[in-house]
Amino acid sequence: MKKILQLTILLFALTGTLFGQTLYVANNNPGAASGTNVFTGSTALQDAIAAASTVAPFDIIYVVPSSVAYGQITIDRGITIFGIGIRPNKDIGKKSLVGPVYINSSEVRISGLSGPTNGGVFMGWSGGDTTYVNIIIENSYMREIRQTNVATVGLDNLLIRNNIVFNDGWQGIELYTTSTVNITNNVIYCNRSTGNIYGDGLQIFNNLFVGDGTSTSRAVATAKNCTFDHNIFYGAYVTLTSASTGNVWDDNLSFGSTGDTFSVGSYSNTSNSPNLEGMDPMFVDMPKSLTWTNAHDFSLQALSPALNVNGTDIGPSGGANPFISEGNILPLIQTVTIPATIPVGSDLPVKIKAKGN
């Protein structure tokens, strides 16, 4: 299956189209060569977005890893944007640095991007009276993921998965007028005393909330009618305030905070399956801190109480889409060799050199 997937992607890159879509490349590396559907320079990524079609099937942009950030972008049309991933192969080293990212459209997928200090994903900031549907934010390293608080701007069918949200004192994940929102298999740093999750009716599954163990690392700010299932709160203060009501807490684990007690029975918060309070998840190497490094390993040791709880592991290594930080689904294409001429009726020999990620 993996070989077939990679072959399909490589053929896509060669032909520039797949199922009616066009592939664009953004490459802001110094000295990068431009070409058909290849954009270079400081505005490479925004230029690629502007060139993409505004009608379905929506186009795809590949963001070449670079030591130079691509800067702020605004997405005003359906599109898929692929970067290299959170923790690229060591031979590549560079990331697809971009941010902030403003999404003012439906049918958007961003994957494998990394935000520098001002990196974040902001949805609906253009205002108006609309609901954006079918948005995926995945495999990315961002400071925060937020929706405008303008009541007329809604979100429907939003998926936030396999990200590191490194919140350094900002809002974390903040959502308002929403429907069908899944937040799953993320690592969410809790670096805010007032909390890091805002929302109503969110489905929050198999995440790792990390803090430094004090009340300034509060996991939840205002959560109403949300479902928290199979999450680990590690050094993250989980005890709720009266602002969070009507939530369901099932099979979550807390450890290492001054607020390890789930507020089941308070503020109309309920549970259908017991939570594990004050129990060490026994990570391989995951400190209670407010900073992510590529050396961190939140794999569960053999005797972890978080293993196989009601059918799956608690935390980001469990669930249907376990967290993978090594990269994105696209290989990095290095060279393509095609002969200038071939005999009539002969096959076309193509040599592709690519680095998996």
Side-chain angles (χ1 to χ4, degrees):
M1 180 63 71
K2 182 177 181 181
K3 290 182 179 179
I4 293 174
L5 174 62
Q6 290 183 350
L7 178 59
T8 300
I9 293 170
L10 290 170
L11 289 174
F12 176 22
L14 285 174
T15 62
T17 59
L18 182 68
F19 306 123
Q21 298 162 295
T22 299
L23 172 67
Y24 295 92
V25 176
N27 187 353
N28 74 346
N29 283 274
S34 60
T36 303
N37 297 339
V38 177
F39 294 86
T40 60
S42 60
T43 60
L45 182 50
Q46 190 65 62
D47 291 343
I49 294 170
S53 173
T54 57
V55 298
F58 297 108
D59 294 333
I60 298 173
I61 298 174
Y62 175 50
V63 185
V64 176
S66 175
S67 58
V68 181
Y70 285 84
Q72 175 179 316
I73 61 170
T74 299
I75 301 172
D76 60 355
R77 62 202 66 196
I79 203 161
T80 293
I81 301 178
F82 284 118
I84 197 64
I86 296 170
R87 184 162 55 188
N89 181 287
K90 292 180 180 179
D91 293 339
I92 298 172
K94 299 177 183 177
K95 297 180 179 180
S96 301
L97 301 170
V98 62
V101 177
Y102 290 93
I103 298 177
N104 297 316
S105 177
S106 298
E107 307 296 340
V108 173
R109 179 183 181 185
I110 62 171
S111 183
L113 303 180
S114 290
T117 54
N118 66 338
V121 179
F122 304 92
M123 293 170 283
W125 244 249
S126 64
D129 183 3
T130 190
T131 295
Y132 297 122
V133 301
N134 301 333
I135 297 175
I136 299 175
I137 303 167
E138 64 180 359
N139 303 336
S140 295
Y141 178 85
M142 290 290 172
R143 182 180 71 186
E144 53 189 326
I145 299 173
R146 297 170 58 192
Q147 176 194 7
T148 179
N149 62 0
V150 176
T152 57
V153 178
L155 296 175
D156 186 12
N157 199 22
L158 169 65
L159 175 60
I160 300 172
R161 67 181 175 195
N162 210 129
N163 302 283
I164 296 173
V165 182
F166 68 86
N167 179 15
D168 54 1
W170 296 78
Q171 273 79 357
I173 297 179
E174 181 180 22
L175 305 169
Y176 291 96
T177 308
T178 62
S179 177
T180 315
V181 175
N182 290 283
I183 302 171
T184 181
N185 296 87
N186 302 281
V187 178
I188 302 168
Y189 279 88
C190 300
N191 190 10
R192 188 174 170 86
S193 60
T194 54
N196 291 269
I197 290 287
Y198 301 74
D200 190 335
L202 312 177
Q203 302 294 305
I204 303 170
F205 288 69
N206 288 99
N207 300 281
L208 170 59
F209 292 83
V210 186
D212 64 4
T214 70
S215 61
T216 60
S217 287
R218 186 178 290 275
V220 178
T222 303
K224 296 181 179 180
N225 310 306
C226 299
T227 299
F228 292 83
D229 196 310
H230 278 77
N231 301 284
I232 293 178
F233 297 85
Y234 187 66
Y237 194 95
V238 73
T239 305
L240 303 176
T241 68
S242 59
S244 295
T245 62
N247 303 291
V248 179
W249 297 81
D250 292 338
D251 296 318
N252 300 282
L253 181 149
S254 65
F255 179 74
S257 169
T258 56
D260 274 347
T261 303
F262 294 101
S263 298
V264 174
S266 300
Y267 318 125
S268 299
N269 286 272
T270 61
S271 177
N272 300 307
S273 186
N275 299 284
L276 307 179
E277 296 179 340
M279 299 188 68
D280 189 345
M282 299 178 65
F283 294 124
V284 170
D285 184 11
M286 188 72 193
K288 290 183 292 182
S289 73
L290 298 175
T291 304
W292 166 266
T293 73
N294 286 345
H296 291 168
D297 184 352
F298 51 76
S299 301
L300 300 172
Q301 298 183 48
L303 298 180
S304 169
L307 289 170
N308 193 24
V309 176
N310 280 334
T312 190
D313 297 345
I314 302 177
S317 59
N321 297 285
F323 185 98
I324 300 174
S325 65
E326 295 306 322
N328 217 321
I329 64 173
L330 290 179
L332 179 64
I333 301 170
Q334 296 175 310
T335 62
V336 179
T337 304
I338 304 174
T341 61
I342 58 170
V344 175
S346 299
D347 292 334
L348 174 65
V350 179
K351 293 183 179 180
I352 302 168
K353 182 180 179 182
K355 186 177 292 294
N357 187 50

